[in-house]
Amino acid sequence: MQFPPSAVFLALCACCIGLSFTSVSLASADSLIPSVGTLIDSLFGEPRFIPKSAFGPPFDKGVIVYIRATKTTTFLTSIVIGIVINSILMYPKFNNVGPAAFLVSALTLTQVVTATPFSPPRQKNIGTSDDSAAAASSSQAASNQERRDAVKQAFQISWDGYYKYAFPHDSLRPVTNSYEDDRNGWGASAIDAFSTAIVMRNWPVINQILAYVPQIDFTRTSSEISLFETTIRYLGGLLSAYDLLTTPPLYADAKAAAPDVHLNSTSSQTATDAILAQAIRLADALSVAFDTPSGIPDNNLIFDPVTGPKRTGSQTNGIATIGTLVLEWTRLSDITGNSTYAQLAQRAEAFLLNPQPSAIAEPFPGLLGTNVNITSGLFVDSTGGWGGGTDSFYEYLIKMYLYDPDRFALYRDRWILAADSSIQYVASHPTTRPDLTFLGGWKGPRGNTTLRFSSGHLDCFDGGNFILGGLTLSNKKYLDFGLELVKSCAETYSATATGIGPELFSWQDNRTPLNATNNRGPPSAEQKAFYEKNGFWITNEQYVLRPEVIESMYYAWRATKDEKYREWAWAAFKAINATTRAGSGYSSVANVNKVGGGSKTDFQESFWFAEVLKYCWLIFQDEDDPWQVKADQTNEFVYNTECHPIRLAKGHEIQPSSSSSPSSDWGYGSADEKKNNEQQPRGRPGVWKHGDDGSWSDRREKRFAGPRYA
């Protein structure tokens, strides 16, 4: 082939464009043959397709751009090869374009390559795709900064809609631009958004919430109160904000970025004082729930404006609503030095740590029934699982041990029992997709227990919990099992028309006789076809802005640093962002297996702020902020079940002392220690709290002066 003088000029242009830290080779997208593509790929790295709308001729049919970071010698070689390839493949198009026009388009292309991300289509069967390909695809996708920007934009849209149309009520109805007080009218979305705004360092929103917190009257509401929901959302949100805003790195940022917050003020009411004061007022009002013969709380309360807070008189309570109080109430005691809060929650928890009668309460070692009699403390059924009503009891067992291994060794032992039994007895593989692993449920007393092969979005937190257990206990078995659960729950997303997982699903177990009474097949032909391909069929098509699948992807990423988990989370976020965006915010949808999600149900849950958006932000955050989950046992925070970061009792992760053992006094400390607390009511000895010097060293010796408490 002969080249006219214009080709030489064009080659020189290619050299000029290529003089960067990245070697770029251009080839016409509609003329590149597979063999040449393979050659270029081996030389230059991963391809990115840039659409024709981004630049003019001769690239107006689109181009494939090969990008690979190179050393100097490889870089110079790449330039020469690039000139040859570009000249051969693109000269026919260059002939119709003047040199000046070519140079302008080429320079435009260079800008596009460095500034315009390519988001690949959603990948089917993400859990079973080639891992190396999934990791390598990060070079094709948007940068983590751009992804964080997208998540922050979703947060801002959600907040602006809520603040305009719903604040200070609980939740936004984004389609109708109205509100609903589904959590007692105390501004649930504001408090759930608090810790997310803080980790994002969104100071305008932080200031709006800080100004609102002192105005809440936690003693008045016209609706029935859930002790569980109020604890994880409001009490957890307030304690998390207190812990985060008194963390030295963020404390310094606050003084620089938002001096009007006055976190270090010497006035009588600092911002963090106000947060803690409200947490105390709320806990004091809720404490009536524990006024029962056994100490097991009544989950349902009424705050009567005349007679004050009172119980509704429930006869039973569930293990999740009993067992998901201990982290928040213990933390409040540790901050204030008032042991009452911890004692209330830990006394109730004791009935779950020693469940009776054992044959009914504990069908498998460590795996419990659901409901407990409030008067006697005895279990009344043997039905359980890792889903709604039971889930966060198991979640908090390992998290309490991480919070303080010296006081909560028994919690660790009970989690290990539950984890081992789940792996041995409950783990299930679908007949059509035995590569998947799900945890189902169980029913019936010990020796006569039947398994249930169904699960749901709520259950999918289990992968993250097993991963956390594996990291905390340095046990690869739990880590590997958790990763299997993460992969399987990720498949529930990739299988649907929207790329979002359903609320509930079922399958047939491959170790149980087919069509046994507890192992029936799909009820319809459509569900059967879906099951044959995907290993589960959908029994509830809703998506209500739940976080659990992305939550577990976050733990998988933090444990392994395998980029595929970031890719899965990004695909999930994009699907949720595209499907649930509605009106002034984001709405739950009726059917994840219909394009567009079916109808919008006009409700933006408060945990959308606290969980989905926070996990998405954290997984794409490169900075190793102190609240990130750490794989090397240097954790400083643990997340409550609403994804509010709570500072560890000693301020950092510790190994249990050789003398640590389950406390007979509900884990709060010895009688001598309690006596010492009464004499020095500024916080539990050995518990880290923010001090005037902001020191992180020698927390055991320095007894920082804590804020006032009621």
Side-chain angles (χ1 to χ4, degrees):
M1 180 182 295
Q2 295 183 346
F3 297 97
S6 61
V8 177
F9 174 79
L10 298 177
L12 291 175
C13 290
C15 286
C16 294
I17 298 167
L19 291 176
S20 63
F21 293 108
T22 302
S23 62
V24 179
S25 178
L26 309 175
S28 168
D30 58 355
S31 64
L32 186 63
I33 60 175
S35 59
V36 176
T38 303
L39 172 63
I40 299 175
D41 184 53
S42 66
L43 292 171
F44 294 102
E46 294 298 321
R48 291 169 64 179
F49 178 74
I50 308 297
K52 63 183 181 181
S53 59
F55 35 79
F59 308 103
D60 55 355
K61 293 295 182 67
V63 298
I64 294 176
V65 183
Y66 287 85
I67 301 178
R68 184 177 183 183
T70 61
K71 295 182 180 179
T72 304
T73 54
T74 308
F75 162 70
L76 294 175
T77 304
S78 299
I79 294 300
V80 174
I81 297 174
I83 293 170
V84 174
I85 293 174
N86 286 332
S87 300
I88 293 172
L89 292 177
M90 301 199 72
Y91 172 71
K93 294 186 181 293
F94 295 167
N95 237 5
N96 299 322
V97 181
F102 166 77
L103 183 58
V104 170
S105 292
L107 291 173
T108 303
L109 172 61
T110 303
Q111 182 181 11
V112 171
V113 169
T114 58
T116 305
F118 166 61
S119 298
R122 182 169 54 86
Q123 185 177 8
K124 287 291 184 179
N125 296 328
I126 57 178
T128 56
S129 63
D130 177 66
D131 291 351
S132 60
S137 67
S138 61
S139 64
Q140 301 173 328
S143 71
N144 287 321
Q145 180 61 55
E146 290 164 332
R147 293 176 176 187
R148 287 197 300 274
D149 290 345
V151 175
K152 193 169 186 177
Q153 181 185 39
F155 176 90
Q156 197 64 52
I157 290 170
S158 305
W159 176 260
D160 289 345
Y162 166 73
Y163 199 73
K164 181 176 182 179
Y165 296 109
F167 179 82
H169 298 277
D170 289 334
S171 300
L172 171 68
R173 289 192 170 277
V175 177
T176 55
N177 293 331
S178 57
Y179 65 84
E180 182 169 327
D181 282 328
D182 56 308
R183 294 295 165 204
N184 308 110
W186 295 326
S189 288
I191 304 305
D192 257 352
F194 206 177
S195 63
T196 304
I198 293 171
V199 301
M200 288 181 174
R201 294 172 171 85
N202 189 330
W203 297 109
V205 173
I206 293 169
N207 279 325
Q208 288 174 318
I209 301 173
L210 279 171
Y212 169 63
V213 166
Q215 303 173 26
I216 306 172
D217 185 353
F218 281 123
T219 66
R220 293 180 177 273
T221 180
S222 59
S223 55
E224 189 172 278
I225 298 160
S226 165
L227 173 65
F228 164 77
E229 295 287 359
T230 305
T231 292
I232 66 172
R233 301 186 197 218
Y234 288 108
L235 186 58
L238 291 170
L239 293 173
S240 178
Y242 176 86
D243 278 342
L244 289 169
L245 289 173
T246 54
T247 297
L250 200 56
Y251 181 82
D253 289 349
K255 289 193 292 183
D260 53 321
V261 174
H262 299 302
L263 294 177
N264 61 337
S265 172
T266 57
S267 65
S268 60
Q269 187 73 22
T270 68
T272 48
D273 283 340
I275 294 169
L276 185 59
Q278 284 290 60
I280 292 167
R281 291 189 186 101
L282 176 58
D284 287 345
L286 295 173
S287 294
V288 68
F290 298 91
D291 186 16
T292 66
S294 66
I296 293 174
D298 187 335
N299 188 58
N300 303 309
L301 305 174
I302 296 173
F303 285 2
D304 190 294
V306 178
T307 62
K310 62 181 181 181
R311 301 188 295 109
T312 61
S314 303
Q315 299 300 307
T316 62
N317 198 353
I319 66 170
T321 43
I322 298 169
T324 317
L325 311 172
V326 64
L327 176 59
E328 294 85 351
W329 288 67
T330 299
R331 182 59 185 158
L332 183 58
S333 280
D334 286 350
I335 293 173
T336 63
N338 184 344
S339 64
T340 300
Y341 306 114
Q343 290 173 3
L344 289 173
Q346 292 173 29
R347 180 185 179 190
E349 185 89 12
F351 288 93
L352 310 183
L353 300 176
N354 182 27
Q356 299 296 327
S358 58
I360 293 175
E362 202 168 0
F364 300 110
L367 298 178
L368 309 185
T370 298
N371 294 298
V372 184
N373 184 282
I374 287 176
T375 300
S376 67
L378 300 177
F379 275 74
V380 299
D381 65 57
S382 304
T383 300
W386 283 77
T390 58
D391 46 4
S392 45
F393 160 67
Y394 300 107
E395 176 187 357
Y396 271 30
L397 291 177
I398 194 63
K399 288 185 174 182
M400 288 306 296
Y401 178 71
L402 175 58
Y403 177 74
D404 191 341
D406 284 340
R407 284 186 281 169
F408 298 105
L410 177 58
Y411 289 62
R412 169 203 61 198
D413 297 342
R414 294 299 298 182
W415 185 86
I416 290 172
L417 275 178
D420 288 345
S421 289
S422 295
I423 294 172
Q424 181 175 354
Y425 301 113
V426 183
S428 175
H429 309 284
T431 55
T432 62
R433 288 287 304 278
D435 58 302
L436 302 182
T437 303
F438 297 117
L439 291 179
W442 53 87
K443 182 178 182 180
R446 187 182 307 165
N448 190 30
T449 307
T450 301
L451 295 178
R452 169 177 48 83
F453 305 115
S454 60
S455 186
H457 207 293
L458 279 170
D459 307 57
C460 282
F461 89 96
D462 53 13
N465 195 241
F466 270 85
I467 292 169
L468 180 64
L471 295 177
T472 303
L473 304 175
S474 300
N475 190 309
K476 189 174 184 297
K477 175 180 73 173
Y478 302 133
L479 174 61
D480 289 345
F481 185 73
L483 293 174
E484 284 298 309
L485 295 174
V486 174
K487 180 191 76 170
S488 302
C489 283
E491 291 274 6
T492 68
Y493 269 54
S494 64
T496 69
T498 59
I500 306 173
E503 180 74 359
L504 298 172
F505 56 90
S506 296
W507 66 93
Q508 279 187 299
D509 178 63
N510 69 349
R511 295 183 298 176
T512 302
L514 296 181
N515 296 318
T517 55
N518 65 327
N519 201 31
R520 302 291 188 187
S524 71
E526 182 180 4
Q527 288 174 312
K528 182 178 180 181
F530 188 90
Y531 175 61
E532 289 294 329
K533 180 180 180 181
N534 299 300
F536 68 95
W537 66 89
I538 299 172
T539 57
N540 185 323
E541 302 90 352
Q542 295 181 86
Y543 175 66
V544 294
L545 304 179
R546 292 203 187 278
E548 291 79 14
V549 174
I550 295 177
E551 171 186 354
S552 288
M553 291 174 182
Y554 168 70
Y555 280 93
W557 157 248
R558 295 300 300 176
T560 68
K561 292 302 176 74
D562 189 328
E563 286 288 341
K564 71 182 180 185
Y565 298 114
R566 275 180 159 173
E567 299 306 316
W568 296 359
W570 180 238
F573 173 77
K574 288 194 299 180
I576 294 168
N577 194 43
T579 303
T580 66
R581 179 74 175 90
S584 55
Y586 292 81
S587 171
S588 50
V589 296
N591 193 335
V592 297
N593 210 28
K594 286 186 176 180
V595 176
S599 61
K600 302 289 192 295
T601 51
D602 194 20
F603 195 73
Q604 181 176 281
E605 291 276 2
S606 74
F607 54 68
W608 164 252
F609 287 106
E611 301 189 72
V612 178
L613 294 173
K614 188 184 290 100
Y615 283 124
C616 287
W617 172 266
L618 293 173
I619 201 170
F620 300 123
Q621 190 172 19
D622 293 320
E623 297 79 14
D624 222 15
D625 281 326
W627 45 83
Q628 289 274 26
V629 170
K630 310 291 176 58
D632 60 354
Q633 296 187 332
T634 59
N635 285 290
E636 299 174 29
F637 285 79
V638 62
Y639 287 86
N640 88 332
T641 196
E642 193 82 356
C643 195
H644 292 305
I646 302 295
R647 176 162 287 285
L648 300 185
K650 304 300 190 298
H652 61 107
E653 190 169 356
I654 64 170
Q655 297 304 307
S657 64
S658 58
S659 61
S660 67
S661 60
S663 171
S664 60
D665 199 14
W666 310 311
Y668 191 74
S670 65
D672 289 339
E673 191 171 13
K674 282 190 175 182
K675 185 177 180 180
N676 184 56
N677 287 341
E678 293 170 1
Q679 296 170 351
Q680 185 185 358
R682 284 189 176 274
R684 189 173 190 276
V687 173
W688 183 88
K689 290 202 297 292
H690 176 66
D692 292 338
D693 62 358
S695 175
W696 289 86
S697 63
D698 200 7
R699 299 177 181 88
R700 170 68 70 171
E701 294 300 322
K702 293 188 177 182
R703 308 290 172 84
F704 293 105
R708 297 174 306 281
Y709 63 91

